[in-house]
Amino acid sequence: MRIRFVMPALAATAALAAATAALTAPTAAATSKAPNDLTYGSNILLENQYRGDGGYLDTNGLSHHQGAAYDVSTNRSPNSRGPRTSVWKILSATGIANGTRVTSGDVVYLVNQYAGGTYLDTNGVSARSGAKYDVSTTVTKDRGPGTGRWHIFGKTSSPTDGHIRTNDVVNLLNDYGAANGGFLDTNGLSHQHGGAKYDVSTSHYADRDHGTGSWKVLHSS
C-alpha cells in the first residue's frame, strides 16, 4: 500500500520539476546572436540616406572649433581619404558591456578609428540654414555635458524585437542639453578636400530633407 501511494507522488514531483525547467530555461532563439546583430565594440560604417546616396560619415581635416580634433563630413567612398577615417567603433555610454546587442533607444559613443581615435561630438552653433550645431570629433568622451553622447533609434528591423542590425537605418540624437543637441544630419556641400561630399551638422528634425538624418549601419572590419 505504501509503494502505491509513494510512486505517484514521486512521479508528480518529477513532472513538476520538468515543467518548471521548461518554463525557466532560455531558448536558443532568445540567447543566440545572429551574424548581423549590431553589438557593442563593433566597427561600423554609417551611410547617409539623403536621396539614397548621401555618402559615408568621415573625419576630414583639423577642426577650428575649440577642443575639437577633426572636422566631420561625408565622403563619397568609405576610407578613400585616409586610413579608417570612415570607420566608427560603437561603445555604450551607460556601461553596457562589449559584445552585448545594441537596442533602439540606447545611448552610445561613436569613436572614429582614424589615428588614435576621436569621439563624434557637437561643438558650436552651425551657420548652415536649418542646422542646429556643428559636428566634429574630440579626444575626450564628453567635451561638454552630453556633447559626445548619441541616442540611437532604429527605424525598423527584422525581427521587430528592438535590436539594431547591420543594414538597418537609424537616427542619431545628440544628448547635449538633455537630449536637445539635434539629430545627426547632412546639410549642404562640404568644402573639405579629398572626396568629401556633404557637410555634417545637427538638425531639429529626425529627417530634415529626404533622408538627411537617416544613416544605414554597415559592417566594417
Side-chain angles (χ1 to χ4, degrees):
M1 292 296 291
R2 284 184 188 166
I3 294 175
R4 196 169 4 188
F5 283 101
V6 171
M7 292 300 289
L10 290 173
T13 301
L16 179 60
T20 302
L23 288 171
T24 57
T27 63
T31 58
S32 62
K33 298 175 185 175
N36 63 334
D37 282 343
L38 180 61
T39 57
Y40 285 110
S42 298
N43 288 330
I44 59 174
L45 305 173
L46 288 167
E47 183 184 21
N48 188 257
Q49 297 301 289
Y50 176 58
R51 298 190 184 278
D53 186 24
Y56 297 85
L57 191 68
D58 187 78
T59 50
N60 190 333
L62 296 176
S63 175
H64 67 276
H65 285 298
Q66 184 175 3
Y70 299 109
D71 276 330
V72 173
S73 57
T74 63
N75 203 34
R76 298 178 188 279
S77 301
N79 303 316
S80 61
R81 193 196 61 76
R84 298 167 71 80
T85 57
S86 302
V87 179
W88 302 83
K89 184 182 291 291
I90 186 165
L91 300 175
S92 172
T94 59
I96 299 172
N98 284 351
T100 306
R101 288 183 288 181
V102 179
T103 300
S104 181
D106 282 356
V107 186
V108 305
Y109 294 115
L110 291 167
V111 188
N112 189 256
Q113 296 301 289
Y114 175 69
T118 53
Y119 293 82
L120 189 68
D121 185 75
T122 50
N123 191 334
V125 175
S126 176
R128 294 278 183 178
S129 177
K132 196 164 187 179
Y133 296 112
D134 279 334
V135 173
S136 53
T137 66
T138 181
V139 296
T140 56
K141 284 183 179 179
D142 291 298
R143 183 192 55 79
T147 58
R149 295 171 179 243
W150 301 84
H151 298 255
I152 185 167
F153 298 108
K155 287 184 175 288
T156 189
S157 193
S158 180
T160 53
D161 57 2
H163 295 299
I164 294 174
R165 297 169 174 84
T166 53
N167 295 312
D168 286 353
V169 176
V170 301
N171 300 120
L172 291 156
L173 175 64
N174 189 254
D175 203 36
Y176 176 64
N180 197 32
F183 291 90
L184 191 68
D185 185 75
T186 50
N187 189 333
L189 294 175
S190 175
H191 301 299
Q192 297 294 335
H193 299 291
K197 193 165 189 177
Y198 295 114
D199 191 50
V200 174
S201 52
T202 64
S203 169
H204 296 275
Y205 306 104
D207 265 316
R208 183 185 53 80
D209 182 21
H210 294 92
T212 55
S214 295
W215 303 82
K216 182 179 281 190
V217 178
L218 301 172
H219 174 73
S220 179
S221 58

